Amino acid sequence: MRVLNKALFAAGCMIAATLPAHAKDFTVGLSWNAMDNQLPVKWQEYLQSEGAKQGAAADVNFKWVINVADADPTRQAANIEDLINQGVDLIIARAEDAAAIGASIRAAKEAGIPFMTFDRESSTTKPTVHVGGDSFDQGKTTAEAFVALLKDRGVTGKCIELQGSLTDVNAMNRSKAWHEVTDNSGVVTTLVSVPTEWNPDLFRSGTVNALRANPDANCMFLASDFALSAVQSALEGADRWAPRGDAKHVWIATQDVFPEAVTAMQGGFIDVGTTYDAYAHAQEAIRVAIELAKGEDANCPDGVCLAKGRLATQENIGTLENLWSRPAN
Amino acid sequence: MRDNQSTSFGQLARRHGFLIVLVAIFAVFTLATDHFATFGNFIAMLHAMAPVVVMSCGMALVVLAGKLDISIGSVAFLSSTFAVLLMNNHGVPPVVAFAVTLAAGAALGALNGFIVVGLGINPLIATLGTMIALRGVALQLTNAVLIPLPESVRSLGNLSIGPIFVDILVAAVVVIAADQLHRRTVFGRQLNAIGNGEEVAAKIGIPVGRRVFVAFVLSGLFASIGGIMSLIQVGSISAYLGRGMEFTAVAVVVVGGISLFGGRGTILPGVVLGALTFEMIANGLNQMSANPYAYRLVTGAIIFVAMYVDAMKSGRIRSRRKKLAVRDEPGRSTGTIAETTSRP
Amino acid sequence: MSMDKPVLELVDIHKRFGSAVALAGASLTLRAGEAHALMGANGAGKSTLMNILGGILQRSEGQIRLGGTAIEIASPRDARRHGISFVHQELNMLPSMTVAENVLIDELPTQGGFVSRKRMRERVAAILERLGCRFSPDDTVETLGMGDRQMVEVARALASDPRILIFDEPTSSLSEREKRRLFEVIGRLKAAGTAVVYITHFLDEIFETCERVTVMRNGQTVTSGPLADYRPHDIVTHMLGDVKLEERLRPPRAPEGEPVLEVDRISRQGALDGVSFRLHPGEIVGLWGLLGSGRTEILRALVGLDGLDEGAIRLRKDGRLQPVAPGDLHAEVGFVTEDRRGEGLLLPLPVASNISFANFDKVLGPLGLIDRKRERRFGEAFAERLKIKLHAISQPVRTLSGGNQQKVVFARWLGTAPRLFFLDEPTRGLDVGAKGEILKLTAALAEGGASVLLASSELEEMMSLCDRYLIVQRGRIVGELPGTADKETLMQALSGPGTGA
């Protein structure tokens, strides 16, 4: 299936990329850790469309070789090895494991191929450049807005934190930012942190068990809302899924703002969140890639170019511009 | 030759060792956390383990016949995928969509049965193949993306009668039915006989191939039921549905005292106690806010112990047989007739 | 019930497999309330005849009459319907299941779709009662001893209320006490009017339990009648028929020179009892005994495949006899048995690799790795010497004929140039030509100075080679005969004292 996927993508991309005639060919090897939610799908879509758009303007003809590692760090290392052997001009990789990706970065460096970590930073080796969402800022803006909201409403928050995968740098950044802001806020305390490994099943059982162990909990922080339905299911089971204003309401701060979260926020169930702007990430990644293709400075301080997310609230959720996750209607 | 009535502690431990472990786990978490030993938490555990129990029933039937089906997680995923796509993209009513899921589960089980019985391929290899392939098909169909269920269906996940979730009742019905099927029907007894020794069973006149085939069909069917339950609980389908479930089910079955060598053990209470063991560990560690990787370590240790006990039990019986044979030898018949022949 | 009216008659049954004739006029007449011994050497056609009776095989010619009417037995189910049931030699047990389930597994009584445990228990309890068994229908089989398991097998055969019950070597795994019980059960069955066919290798048993006997040889019934008319020796003679005496491959010679091997009162509980003998260089000694007499056990014990309780083995080394452990002796002995695969022939591997297997030191290259070229030459040398018929030395052993496979086993041992050869039924399953070559090879080994210990069921084979015979009975050596002993003497030794009756 992976091979088939690869072949399909590669074939499709090659056909698409052979159209412009005189531009300089620039082959990008794109290594996904997994295609487990809408985000990577959107990223890939935006990367390819931006590549075509910005590429045409800059006379760079983007070609794509894409593979997916199905959430297996070992497989991702092998996939990147493949890309190196094919002699691509740039590798863009979203790491499954923040530490393990270091070896692949070193291998690419030895082969003289520039390496862009995308979305998830390496914790061990510095790549040529890192492009992603500013996940620390994301957690920070959400946490600050949440603290302000609760203070405003005169609520003392006792929160359950659903962490992401402990090997995901973004997940850890969001958690770190959350704690930095809330721990000394005097308004919000975190009763328990539940690691989910990004598994929806654990989002559900983690919520259920945490509520059992902490019946006085009245708020939650979600490291991502892609599996919101599982959290919703758990809260419904505990009879705690209610919109703001209802006595049973659990105050929820969230990250990413996936389509279900948009609906839930519009319905009053989620209070604040910070978007994870797939489009902005892709735009930035392609800008940097073009600079690299031309051998120019990408202007990334410390080799890191981050795109910030935007704060979403029940008030502005209907009007935020260019929100990929909001159904167009 | 029967076991005498002496009950030393060692014997007690061997016979009821598993219950002792269960009680110990319960005691530890009761002391370590505030809300573990509550009625509400007990219900929550039963709710969470319901899909596992159902899927383990199918696995148990296959294992009792001395086979293995490690494709059940993928069967659950793929068959549920059909339902989700039909409901979301084609507006098919949930009842019809889930009927399709059950039919798909049985059909995929039949595929496994055909590969094992018809093509004579080792069950582990056969279902390893379908495990990978079927998951691949499902990922392709869903684009590996998390797809939420329609609101009306999702709310079924917390449907309850009084304090008891409907999932728990479904699991109870399935586990009792599977147990009766195994213990009280001719089919079940024949499966057990096959697990005792395929050659012997064939010689006695049991249609081994057909029975094994049916066991795989049932395994697929149960996998799809478990898939539906898991799907509705989480409220969305994602690549995580059923992932690793095959190994959880094998672990549940083994810890529940059903021998991987086949023909030994019972679904009740084995499967329920096995599932409860793992659920208690997950739930308890979760409530203790323990390191998430501790769960894997503890689970692995328990599986290892269960396998060891299983092997020891079989080994013990074997060695006793050997002793018997040796002891009987001195009395062997005297005066044999010549096996001399004059062949042309 | 008249004792004279036959229940079942098998009349002049013929069975051909292609051009091979398995049965050429076999007959058997059974009467109600009688136990009928069916005797015959291996290959005499007993099992073919019984398979025809059991519906597993179809006869080519002849008639089966049940109570005077001709019938067809098309399948095992058919046989069962006609009231014919088998107790097989190997026990078909389901160890983790109860006695009741084991007995009724192929026709579990049901009520409303569910197995009725009550009816199952009642039926089986009644059968066990008839058999005089003291265990319960609810016991699991794995908690039962061998004798009780045999009774479960009998109970299963009785579950269909057979008029004819066939016991195929039922006592081979039973203790004396359990055997007694089985005989009592057979007595009870006879009293109830069941016709019993009793197949065994043990002469004493048939005189104890049976009224009539039928002896088969070469697919034919050679004699049949009331057992009172026969002496044990008569039955042996009928079974063996005329042994065609072949030319000796070499004249018998008296032991000469200092013994190479001395076996001193070796014993193993239940198998061997104070076995002593000496083996001289260049002689072929035959272990002459019945199946189960202990001849194979002696060879196995000598090379350490079975443990020893007592006794010593001494091997000539540096000019004197020195004690040697059986395991160590194995390394000095060329050990060839009928079980070619069991003796470590690796069937999927090439002939060359199989030959070099015991001779790695002779095929190593400079780096201590196996030198393929040397391995091939080494193999080819033996293939030529032993006239192993093959296309290429790289051919897998699996593709060779049985005789040539056996030669590969010999070749492997010849490479190590042992002074001793232990041969246990080395020609079983081989065709006449291959058999002759293996025998000639054996003679050549002895000519070359090796000492050979030979155990074989085939009298003419023994008589064409052996320089002397050790008579083996019940794990003991009860006598010795010179190589010049004639057939009559040798056969007399078999049915001699200790054979019972």
Side-chain angles (χ1 to χ4, degrees):
Chain A
M1 142 78 191
R2 184 170 58 89
V3 176
L4 186 66
N5 230 349
K6 243 199 282 188
L8 283 176
F9 279 130
C13 301
M14 276 176 200
I15 292 164
T18 45
L19 295 175
H22 299 292
K24 177 189 174 192
D25 273 354
F26 190 71
T27 308
V28 180
L30 179 55
S31 167
W32 292 117
N33 61 317
M35 283 277 185
D36 50 4
N37 61 54
Q38 291 100 321
L39 252 182
V41 177
K42 285 288 171 190
W43 270 321
Q44 183 164 313
E45 195 183 312
Y46 292 146
L47 280 171
Q48 290 179 322
S49 63
E50 274 303 299
K53 200 168 99 193
Q54 292 187 36
D59 232 17
V60 175
N61 180 18
F62 277 95
K63 288 185 160 188
W64 298 91
V65 181
I66 301 170
N67 53 41
V68 185
D70 289 346
D72 179 351
T74 333
R75 197 179 292 178
Q76 186 168 33
N79 283 348
I80 295 175
E81 185 75 40
D82 282 351
L83 297 176
I84 294 172
N85 290 336
Q86 289 175 48
V88 297
D89 300 308
L90 169 69
I91 291 170
I92 301 181
R94 180 176 189 241
E96 172 63 25
D97 189 304
I101 198 72
S104 297
I105 295 174
R106 288 192 293 276
K109 210 171 261 177
E110 268 168 41
I113 298 174
F115 198 110
M116 178 195 295
T117 48
F118 183 72
D119 179 46
R120 292 180 178 176
E121 224 171 327
S122 164
S123 63
T124 48
T125 306
K126 245 186 136 28
T128 317
V129 64
H130 172 74
V131 175
D134 190 339
S135 47
F136 187 85
D137 178 78
Q138 195 189 8
K140 190 159 165 269
T141 45
T142 299
E144 283 169 353
F146 194 62
V147 167
L149 177 67
L150 292 199
K151 201 178 266 176
D152 183 45
R153 301 289 162 128
V155 177
T156 308
K158 292 177 180 168
C159 287
I160 295 165
E161 180 197 8
L162 295 186
Q163 295 175 315
S165 166
L166 302 182
T167 60
D168 179 346
V169 178
N170 289 328
M172 297 326 288
N173 276 340
R174 289 166 189 170
S175 178
K176 207 169 108 196
W178 167 261
H179 283 280
E180 238 168 59
V181 173
T182 59
D183 283 357
N184 300 311
S185 65
V187 178
V188 175
T189 49
T190 305
L191 298 174
V192 58
S193 300
V194 182
T196 64
E197 301 173 42
W198 291 138
N199 178 346
D201 220 18
L202 297 180
F203 272 81
R204 197 195 72 81
S205 62
T207 307
V208 170
N209 294 335
L211 277 176
R212 274 280 139 232
N214 306 281
D216 53 338
N218 65 352
C219 58
M220 292 186 78
F221 173 65
L222 312 183
S224 170
D225 50 31
F226 81 96
L228 182 67
S229 65
V231 177
Q232 183 182 343
S233 184
L235 287 175
E236 283 173 347
D239 196 21
R240 299 295 300 274
W241 181 257
R244 194 193 293 174
D246 191 315
K248 289 182 287 191
H249 177 60
V250 173
W251 299 79
I252 299 177
T254 187
Q255 302 277 273
D256 296 348
V257 193
F258 270 76
E260 296 73 51
V262 173
T263 319
M265 201 175 261
Q266 284 169 335
F269 297 94
I270 294 182
D271 299 282
V272 295
T274 304
T275 62
Y276 206 51
D277 268 295
Y279 183 71
H281 303 156
Q283 219 175 8
E284 181 67 6
I286 293 296
R287 185 191 66 79
V288 172
I290 288 174
E291 302 296 340
L292 287 173
K294 293 185 165 167
E296 285 166 21
D297 184 12
N299 235 334
C300 293
D302 275 340
V304 176
C305 277
L306 296 179
K308 285 195 191 335
R310 291 168 291 166
L311 186 70
T313 63
Q314 294 188 358
E315 291 72 34
N316 75 358
I317 187 68
T319 53
L320 273 180
E321 274 174 29
N322 243 341
L323 186 61
W324 67 271
S325 53
R326 191 178 53 219
N329 50 4
Chain B
M1 284 337 298
R2 256 174 295 165
D3 289 348
N4 52 24
Q5 293 302 310
S6 82
T7 45
S8 67
F9 179 74
Q11 260 182 335
L12 201 75
R14 220 178 291 145
R15 209 170 296 165
H16 306 292
F18 170 64
L19 269 178
I20 295 173
V21 170
L22 201 69
V23 169
I25 294 171
F26 184 78
V28 167
F29 287 130
T30 302
L31 293 176
T33 66
D34 296 334
H35 301 277
F36 184 78
T38 60
F39 177 73
N41 192 46
F42 190 65
I43 293 294
M45 285 197 283
L46 291 181
H47 188 204
M49 70 190 234
V52 178
V53 167
V54 170
M55 292 174 79
S56 300
C57 285
M59 177 68 86
L61 290 174
V62 173
V63 167
L64 281 165
K67 310 284 181 219
L68 209 54
D69 181 357
I70 59 166
S71 72
I72 57 172
S74 299
V75 170
F77 183 25
L78 180 55
S79 56
S80 316
T81 298
F82 292 139
V84 174
L85 294 182
L86 286 174
M87 287 187 292
N88 284 15
N89 302 352
H90 304 281
V92 173
V95 177
V96 178
F98 288 132
V100 169
T101 297
L102 298 183
L108 296 173
L111 174 68
N112 280 328
F114 170 74
I115 297 174
V116 171
V117 176
L119 305 183
I121 290 174
N122 174 301
L124 182 67
I125 303 301
T127 56
L128 177 69
T130 47
M131 168 177 125
I132 295 168
L134 299 182
R135 183 159 289 274
V137 173
L139 287 171
Q140 194 85 311
L141 288 175
T142 58
N143 281 324
V145 157
L146 181 140
I147 305 174
L149 286 177
E151 190 54 35
S152 60
V153 178
R154 208 189 44 71
S155 59
L156 295 176
N158 290 307
L159 200 65
S160 58
I161 299 173
I164 312 289
F165 291 99
V166 171
D167 300 40
I168 300 177
L169 298 178
V170 172
V173 169
V174 168
V175 81
I176 290 170
D179 182 64
Q180 290 290 306
L181 182 72
H182 167 233
R183 262 202 263 225
R184 301 226 19 224
T185 66
V186 173
F187 169 75
R189 300 286 71 197
Q190 288 180 335
L191 268 196
N192 214 62
I194 293 166
N196 264 273
E198 218 172 303
E199 275 177 42
V200 171
K203 260 186 210 157
I204 295 173
I206 294 170
V208 173
R210 264 181 282 167
R211 297 296 176 265
V212 170
F213 179 83
V214 173
F216 274 101
V217 172
L218 287 174
S219 175
L221 181 67
F222 286 147
S224 63
I225 299 175
I228 294 174
M229 293 165 77
S230 181
L231 173 72
I232 295 181
Q233 282 192 6
V234 175
S236 54
I237 195 159
S238 76
Y240 284 94
L241 197 138
R243 184 189 276 191
M245 194 58 96
E246 47 281 331
F247 300 111
T248 308
V250 173
V252 162
V253 160
V254 171
V255 169
I258 297 172
S259 170
L260 280 186
F261 299 104
R264 209 175 291 273
T266 54
I267 292 175
L268 272 180
V271 164
V272 174
L273 293 183
L276 190 59
T277 306
F278 291 112
E279 188 54 37
M280 284 206 310
I281 296 169
N283 183 290
L285 288 178
N286 210 199
Q287 294 205 13
M288 283 170 72
S289 298
N291 182 314
Y293 301 118
Y295 171 73
R296 297 184 187 204
L297 179 70
V298 176
T299 305
I302 296 233
I303 293 173
F304 173 78
V305 170
M307 297 286 277
Y308 182 72
V309 169
D310 182 20
M312 204 176 68
K313 263 189 201 158
S314 312
R316 185 169 60 99
I317 288 153
R318 226 172 286 141
S319 71
R320 191 169 57 178
R321 260 184 228 147
K322 205 182 277 173
K323 259 185 249 154
L324 262 173
V326 171
R327 227 218 8 257
D328 286 346
E329 215 147 353
R332 267 179 93 117
S333 293
T334 52
T336 55
I337 224 334
E339 187 48 23
T340 36
T341 101
S342 49
R343 268 168 289 177
Chain C
M1 184 174 299
S2 158
M3 292 299 246
D4 296 311
K5 190 153 178 258
V7 182
L8 179 89
E9 292 161 281
L10 295 167
V11 187
D12 199 27
I13 304 286
H14 289 248
K15 176 66 188 175
R16 288 177 288 273
F17 297 100
S19 61
V21 178
L23 291 178
S27 299
L28 181 67
T29 304
L30 301 182
R31 288 173 174 77
E34 270 189 14
H36 195 121
L38 182 60
M39 307 293 286
N42 256 12
K46 287 174 304 189
S47 13
T48 311
L49 189 65
M50 288 303 107
N51 281 338
I52 287 173
L53 185 55
I56 296 162
L57 294 175
Q58 297 305 311
R59 65 189 188 278
S60 307
E61 275 171 49
Q63 211 179 33
I64 304 175
R65 283 203 289 268
L66 189 70
T69 11
I71 58 160
E72 292 299 323
I73 303 175
S75 67
R77 191 175 286 269
D78 245 7
R80 217 159 226 269
R81 213 173 20 242
H82 287 305
I84 300 163
S85 209
F86 283 81
V87 177
H88 295 283
Q89 179 180 15
E90 77 278 25
L91 300 179
N92 294 319
M93 291 289 113
L94 309 166
S96 80
M97 302 176 76
T98 67
V99 169
E101 286 168 340
N102 267 277
V103 170
L104 295 179
I105 186 72
D106 52 353
E107 43 172 341
L108 292 166
T110 55
Q111 199 154 34
F114 286 118
V115 173
S116 164
R117 256 173 280 195
K118 185 161 159 277
R119 276 170 53 200
M120 183 163 81
R121 206 176 293 135
E122 281 167 6
R123 270 191 67 188
V124 173
I127 299 172
L128 294 183
E129 170 91 46
R130 260 169 79 196
L131 291 175
C133 294
R134 271 167 303 166
F135 50 86
S136 143
D138 295 328
D139 285 346
T140 34
V141 163
E142 65 197 3
T143 63
L144 301 180
M146 275 302 157
D148 287 341
R149 290 184 197 196
Q150 178 69 268
M151 288 301 150
V152 174
E153 188 86 30
V154 176
R156 186 189 287 150
L158 287 180
S160 58
D161 257 324
R163 279 185 285 176
I164 297 147
L165 189 53
I166 294 119
F167 287 88
D168 188 2
E169 300 201 38
T171 58
S172 47
S173 58
L174 297 189
S175 72
E176 189 60 33
R177 198 167 47 84
E178 289 163 340
K179 215 172 74 179
R180 291 287 133 221
R181 257 179 62 202
L182 181 69
F183 291 164
E184 276 171 35
V185 166
I186 291 175
R188 248 175 262 171
L189 289 171
K190 284 191 289 191
T194 311
V196 173
V197 177
Y198 195 87
I199 302 171
T200 186
H201 288 298
F202 299 104
L203 255 185
D204 55 342
E205 290 179 4
I206 70 166
F207 282 96
E208 197 168 340
T209 50
C210 299
E211 282 73 31
R212 303 180 84 83
V213 64
T214 291
V215 181
M216 292 180 66
R217 190 175 72 237
N218 293 337
Q220 284 171 311
T221 297
V222 288
T223 181
S224 186
L227 203 49
D229 299 349
Y230 296 85
R231 289 168 300 149
H233 180 241
D234 301 330
I235 293 175
V236 176
T237 313
H238 280 300
M239 281 172 63
L240 297 184
D242 281 331
V243 175
K244 192 167 84 231
L245 277 191
E246 285 173 28
E247 292 265 320
R248 283 198 66 100
L249 285 168
R250 62 173 206 162
R253 34 178 279 190
E256 52 187 54
E258 297 293 318
V260 197
L261 182 76
E262 184 177 69
V263 177
D264 191 5
R265 285 168 307 203
I266 58 168
S267 297
R268 191 169 84 84
Q269 170 100 61
L272 301 178
D273 184 9
V275 170
S276 299
F277 62 89
R278 289 172 162 194
L279 206 52
H280 297 266
E283 71 169 342
I284 301 176
V285 175
L287 292 174
W288 179 234
L290 314 160
L291 188 80
S293 62
R295 49 178 206 219
T296 296
E297 286 76 2
I298 291 175
L299 295 179
R300 289 177 58 86
L302 286 179
V303 295
L305 292 176
D306 299 329
L308 280 182
D309 298 334
E310 275 171 60
I313 305 167
R314 286 182 278 271
L315 180 70
R316 183 161 302 276
K317 247 186 189 163
D318 312 322
R320 44 197 185 88
L321 284 171
Q322 298 182 20
V324 63
D328 296 337
L329 184 61
H330 201 168
E332 311 276 337
V333 175
F335 190 55
V336 182
T337 74
E338 62 173 301
D339 182 10
R340 291 180 280 276
R341 197 171 352 181
E343 287 313 315
L345 212 48
L346 306 168
L347 297 180
L349 291 190
V351 174
S353 316
N354 268 285
I355 294 178
S356 68
F357 199 69
N359 304 286
F360 282 137
D361 51 324
K362 301 183 185 73
V363 297
L364 292 186
L367 288 172
L369 301 173
I370 291 171
D371 183 333
R372 302 289 286 273
K373 222 182 264 169
R374 291 174 79 161
E375 184 180 52
R376 218 171 45 227
R377 276 202 305 268
F378 187 77
E380 273 162 356
F382 281 105
E384 205 174 297
R385 185 167 145 202
L386 299 185
K387 301 193 184 66
I388 301 177
K389 287 195 193 69
L390 37 75
H391 308 301
I393 197 78
S394 56
Q395 188 178 349
V397 164
R398 174 169 36 82
T399 60
L400 298 182
S401 69
N404 283 306
Q405 288 186 358
Q406 193 65 299
K407 286 187 196 168
V408 173
V409 178
F410 269 101
R412 173 187 293 173
W413 291 118
L414 285 175
T416 66
R419 287 178 293 163
L420 294 169
F421 276 91
F422 294 172
L423 313 180
D424 189 9
E425 302 274 8
T427 65
R428 173 155 288 179
L430 303 187
D431 63 53
V432 184
K435 206 175 276 190
E437 288 193 48
I438 295 288
L439 295 180
K440 267 182 224 150
L441 183 62
T442 307
L445 290 175
E447 286 301 315
S451 311
V452 179
L453 209 46
L454 172 69
S456 169
S457 304
E458 308 216 15
L459 187 50
E460 61 270 57
E461 195 172 301
M462 297 285 272
M463 290 181 71
S464 71
L465 277 177
C466 291
D467 298 319
R468 58 191 171 103
Y469 303 92
L470 301 171
I471 313 300
V472 188
Q473 262 181 26
R474 280 190 274 169
R476 284 182 305 153
I477 292 185
V478 296
E480 185 174 332
L481 289 170
T484 50
D486 61 12
K487 180 189 103 186
E488 204 54 35
T489 320
L490 283 165
M491 287 222 248
Q492 196 66 50
L494 288 190
S495 52
T499 316

